[in-house]
């Protein structure tokens, strides 16, 4: 088993990274930086119009990569793939290079008319093996079962939580239950704003097989927060 450092960035989805935040990120000596769903871009426009700005949004991620030296997952943007199909994807960036895209499989109604992805449920990067979830994909029990059967006990969840969804206490319990059931460390980075006219709130957290060990307070659901967590007990590659 090994340890991993992960930086979560709970973000205002509509605002760029500030100079002060860039400075703070430059000092974070973590393996991964997890950005929330719908950042950058904030869901301000239609999926098609946002896809036409994908290069500009990706440049925002590259700008973060200029100062942050770990791998960046973030956040969730619409784009056209090599065949011209509309996708909702998470860019994976390191050293100002686009390593890969994770095309979201479990799309929400506001993500239509994007085409669901069909790639792998787990990734290997930086000597770590982990799962990745976007938005409602965390509800996919078959994906969680597959990670468990493959002995993968780390997963990133890029999210933005509906303001009229599950209440705070129940939300924490749901994550604690998932972590316990699947023996999983779940790292959720959640943004806030009004993507596609629907209010979202930040509920970033770290849930472990023994419970939720770090979370933003209920009073911080509309606050930008950068937090690095150290996780011990990650299963190795073999």
């Amino acid at each position: 088993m090994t340890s991993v450092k992960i930086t979560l960035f709970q973000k205002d989805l509509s605002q760029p990274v500030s100079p002060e935040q860039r400075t703070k990120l430059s000092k974070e000596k973590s393996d991964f930086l997890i950005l929330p769903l719908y950042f950058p871009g904030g869901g301000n426009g239609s999926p098609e119009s946002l896809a036409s700005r994908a290069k500009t949004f990706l440049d925002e991620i590259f700008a973060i990569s200029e100062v942050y030296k770990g791998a960046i997952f973030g956040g969730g943007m619409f784009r056209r793939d090599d065949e011209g199909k509309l996708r909702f994807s998470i860019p994976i960036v390191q050293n100002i290079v686009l390593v890969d895209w994770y095309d979201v499989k479990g799309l929400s109604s506001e993500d239509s008319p994007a085409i669901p992805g069909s790639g792998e449920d787990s990734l290997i990067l930086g000597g770590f093996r982990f799962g990745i979830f976007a938005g409602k994909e965390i509800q996919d029990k078959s994906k969680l079962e597959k990670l468990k059967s493959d002995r993968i006990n780390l997963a990133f969840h890029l999210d933005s939580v509906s303001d009229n969804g599950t209440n705070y206490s129940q939300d924490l319990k749901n994550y604690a239950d998932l972590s316990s059931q699947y023996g999983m460390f779940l790292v959720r980075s959640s943004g806030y704003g009004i993507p596609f006219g629907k209010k979202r709130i930040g509920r970033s957290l770290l849930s472990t097989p023994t419970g939720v060990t770090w979370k933003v307070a209920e009073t911080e659901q509309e606050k930008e927060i950068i937090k690095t967590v150290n996780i011990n007990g990650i299963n190795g590659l073999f």
Side-chain angles (χ1 to χ4, degrees), residues 2 29 43 57 62 83 86 95 101-103 121 167 169 174 186 191-192 194 208 238:
T2 187
K29 307 303 180 186
F57 296 146
F62 287 150
E83 298 178 351
L86 184 65
N95 298 324
W101 294 98
Y102 170 76
D103 296 328
D121 291 328
N167 69 47
S169 297
N174 290 347
L186 291 172
Y192 63 93
I194 312 178
T208 78
F238 305 104

Side-chain angles (χ1 to χ4, degrees), residues 32-35 37 72-76 89-93 100-106 119-125 129-140 143-144 147 152 154-159 184-187:
F32 300 102
L33 169 62
I34 314 300
L35 297 168
L37 215 58
I72 302 171
F73 286 74
S89 306
I90 294 169
I92 304 168
V93 171
D100 205 352
W101 294 98
Y102 170 76
D103 296 328
V104 178
K105 300 177 180 180
E120 295 294 324
D121 291 328
S122 61
L123 303 171
I124 297 175
L125 188 63
R129 197 171 178 211
F130 50 88
I132 184 168
F133 295 86
K136 72 175 189 177
E137 288 184 333
I138 197 66
Q139 301 167 18
D140 186 347
K143 186 170 178 175
L144 287 160
L147 294 176
I152 298 172
L154 173 66
F156 306 148
H157 184 200
L158 288 76
D159 202 14
M184 187 79 62
F185 294 92
L186 291 172
V187 183

Side-chain angles (χ1 to χ4, degrees), residues 27-133:
K27 298 176 181 177
E28 299 296 326
K29 307 303 180 186
S30 52
D31 301 289
F32 300 102
L33 169 62
I34 314 300
L35 297 168
L37 215 58
Y38 301 119
F39 175 82
N44 295 322
S46 67
E48 292 89 348
S49 67
L50 289 166
S52 70
R53 299 162 61 195
K55 183 181 183 304
T56 299
F57 296 146
L58 188 58
D59 284 344
E60 289 192 45
I61 307 300
F62 287 150
I64 299 172
S65 188
E66 289 177 352
V67 299
Y68 174 80
K69 299 311 175 185
I72 302 171
F73 286 74
M77 64 180 68
F78 294 91
R79 68 179 184 104
R80 296 284 178 182
D81 67 12
D82 292 340
E83 298 178 351
K85 295 179 180 178
L86 184 65
R87 302 283 188 181
F88 184 46
S89 306
I90 294 169
I92 304 168
V93 171
Q94 188 167 27
N95 298 324
I96 326 178
V97 173
L98 177 65
V99 176
D100 205 352
W101 294 98
Y102 170 76
D103 296 328
V104 178
K105 300 177 180 180
L107 298 171
S108 300
S109 58
E110 52 262 39
D111 303 330
S112 178
I115 305 300
S118 58
E120 295 294 324
D121 291 328
S122 61
L123 303 171
I124 297 175
L125 188 63
F128 299 97
R129 197 171 178 211
F130 50 88
I132 184 168
F133 295 86

Side-chain angles (χ1 to χ4, degrees), residues 127-189:
F128 299 97
R129 197 171 178 211
F130 50 88
I132 184 168
F133 295 86
K136 72 175 189 177
E137 288 184 333
I138 197 66
Q139 301 167 18
D140 186 347
K141 299 301 176 65
S142 64
K143 186 170 178 175
L144 287 160
E145 289 285 1
K146 179 68 165 56
L147 294 176
K148 183 178 180 179
S149 68
D150 290 341
R151 295 191 68 253
I152 298 172
N153 66 343
L154 173 66
F156 306 148
H157 184 200
L158 288 76
D159 202 14
S160 58
V161 181
S162 174
D163 187 38
N164 60 2
T166 308
N167 69 47
Y168 183 77
S169 297
Q170 185 61 49
D171 198 31
L172 295 180
K173 183 179 184 303
N174 290 347
Y175 276 80
D177 289 348
L178 284 176
S179 288
S180 175
Q181 180 177 354
Y182 296 100
M184 187 79 62
F185 294 92
L186 291 172
V187 183
R188 176 166 74 170
S189 180

